[in-house]
Amino acid sequence: MGILDWFKNRPAQFDADRVSEELIRSAVDKAITLTNPRLAVLPGCHRRLAPAAEKAIEFLRALVSEMPASRPLSAANWSADPALRAFFVAPADIAAVLARSDNLRTLFDKYIDLDEACVVLGMSFTEQRVFGMALQGDLVQRDVAQTSVSFSDHRAHICGRDESRLRRAVGAQAFEYLLAQALAEIGEERVERQELEANRSLLRARLRLLRQQGPGLGSLYGNSPPAASSEQARLEAELLDNEKQLAAIGGNESVLEMELDSLREVLENPQRYLRAETRHLRLTPMNIVVDGESSEAVVDLDVHLAELSGAAPVRRAVVVARVGREQMAQAPTMNLADAARYL
């Protein structure tokens, strides 16, 4: 069972108003299970992780509460909603995004009496400097430096029957993301140890072979080739350095302690991996940022940005949307006849 299912099956676990002892205990259990179940054998493992888990949950609770209020998302609202016109080029783009959301479709199929659901619409947010035309008084100026924003790669994966369930699902996935970062850092430490152990085995084998063969044909004449002696000395030095590095990492219990420390470090510092901010933008119909006065029609838009700064940093614009069942078109299907022509 994934952590998302774990939170969804126990809705009270991610309570937006309080952090219960049960939630902390369950969060620690799940953190141990998803990173390394053997951590549980360490003395006081749960007690040592509990404060870090509580801090992570408090951070995520604040993060979720700062998400914007839900707004209707439909192709019919595109012309009347300036935000939707900024996010989507045309009404058909909204229908296409919803049609691709298998999770939203599954939710409506599961709850046949559900008329409306909530979904998180995530979009890539790009800012770039461009040169365009601008109206200064009665004159049109060309090659004016401007800032253009664009929204692309629209996805609607996280959904819920209502807004409160949706926010709990977001909190659950954010917690899962933190555990994934901890697991990635632990994995790097494991790889380093495995490489050192493999290198040690190789060095020992080469050194043993060199000692068994002796200095070679030079021994028949009573002298030892300098190259063989220097090679042996080099291997012995590398082996000694390898042993020191492995000793610094420690034995199995020390490795577990390091993994526990890595997990605790991530949970104690969730702000290193997750950040959110709201940007206020004044945009023209062409999504050009306006700083001062403008003779064009300007829309004031608050854009909520979420940044994931893990191994692969990502910045996405986030919208909490309400979608009616009638907005769900048939899922796109493959035209087998057309596909066969390319075989």
Side-chain angles (χ1 to χ4, degrees):
M1 178 184 293
I3 192 169
L4 179 58
D5 296 324
W6 170 61
F7 273 113
K8 287 172 66 177
N9 290 340
R10 307 177 69 177
Q13 289 283 311
F14 201 86
D15 194 324
D17 299 323
R18 65 186 179 89
V19 178
S20 65
E21 292 295 328
E22 180 188 6
L23 172 57
I24 296 173
R25 183 169 58 253
S26 299
V28 170
D29 287 340
K30 187 54 62 173
I32 293 173
T33 300
L34 292 185
T35 51
N36 186 353
R38 295 178 59 225
L39 293 175
V41 305
L42 294 176
C45 176
H46 281 70
R47 173 181 52 79
R48 294 157 65 185
L49 280 177
E54 182 177 7
K55 187 172 183 179
I57 293 171
E58 289 281 10
F59 175 84
L60 295 179
R61 184 182 67 171
L63 205 68
V64 169
S65 67
E66 293 171 359
M67 293 177 63
S70 62
R71 64 192 308 145
L73 176 64
S74 70
N77 288 347
W78 180 83
S79 59
D81 190 337
L84 294 184
R85 294 201 304 271
F87 298 149
F88 297 93
V89 175
D93 296 334
I94 298 178
V97 170
L98 296 178
R100 292 196 302 267
S101 180
D102 294 334
N103 291 350
L104 190 57
R105 188 180 309 281
T106 300
L107 183 67
F108 278 120
D109 290 343
K110 182 177 180 180
Y111 300 98
I112 58 175
D113 295 331
L114 187 66
D115 294 326
E116 185 180 70
C118 286
V119 65
V120 174
L121 173 66
M123 305 167 284
S124 292
F125 175 75
T126 305
E127 296 177 276
Q128 60 180 353
R129 296 292 290 175
V130 297
F131 291 94
M133 294 186 297
L135 188 62
Q136 299 291 339
D138 295 331
L139 299 177
V140 175
Q141 291 189 342
R142 300 178 182 275
D143 297 329
V144 178
Q146 301 170 326
T147 299
S148 171
V149 300
S150 61
F151 301 87
S152 60
D153 189 28
H154 302 72
R155 300 184 186 184
H157 293 324
I158 308 177
C159 54
R161 284 180 286 167
D162 52 44
E163 192 168 340
S164 62
R165 286 183 172 88
L166 176 70
R167 291 177 184 270
R168 284 199 294 269
V170 172
Q173 289 213 354
F175 188 75
E176 187 178 40
Y177 174 78
L178 291 177
L179 297 184
Q181 301 313 303
L183 189 58
E185 295 182 9
I186 289 173
E188 292 177 359
E189 295 172 356
R190 290 175 182 170
V191 169
E192 180 184 3
R193 181 177 180 83
Q194 291 171 355
E195 290 178 348
L196 285 172
E197 290 176 344
N199 192 39
R200 178 180 62 181
S201 299
L202 180 60
L203 288 171
R204 285 178 174 175
R206 292 175 62 186
L207 187 59
R208 183 170 57 252
L209 181 62
L210 187 62
R211 287 172 176 171
Q212 288 175 350
Q213 290 181 344
L217 291 176
S219 61
L220 296 176
Y221 300 95
N223 60 350
S224 175
S229 299
S230 62
E231 175 68 9
Q232 180 173 327
R234 185 183 65 80
L235 290 175
E236 290 174 345
E238 289 185 12
L239 184 59
L240 179 61
D241 182 64
N242 181 279
E243 296 285 359
K244 288 180 179 179
Q245 293 183 58
L246 282 171
I249 294 178
N252 291 333
E253 185 172 347
S254 298
V255 171
L256 288 178
E257 287 287 350
M258 291 178 61
E259 293 186 0
L260 180 64
D261 288 341
S262 294
L263 175 57
R264 182 171 56 189
E265 179 73 12
V266 171
L267 294 180
E268 283 182 345
N269 299 278
Q271 70 282 356
R272 295 178 182 173
Y273 309 91
L274 288 166
R275 285 185 293 273
E277 64 169 330
T278 299
R279 292 271 303 278
H280 181 75
L281 300 174
R282 302 180 68 235
L283 300 176
T284 69
M286 298 300 294
N287 279 8
I288 300 297
V289 177
V290 177
D291 295 324
E293 297 297 326
S294 174
S295 58
E296 294 186 76
V298 176
V299 172
D300 288 284
L301 183 65
D302 288 328
V303 180
H304 191 74
L305 299 173
E307 184 175 350
L308 310 181
S309 54
V314 175
R315 186 172 66 158
R316 305 276 287 176
V318 175
V319 174
V320 180
R322 300 189 307 275
V323 178
R325 178 184 289 273
E326 70 280 1
Q327 298 299 319
M328 298 302 298
Q330 292 295 322
T333 57
M334 179 181 294
N335 189 320
L336 297 180
D338 288 343
R341 294 186 303 169
Y342 296 97
L343 297 179

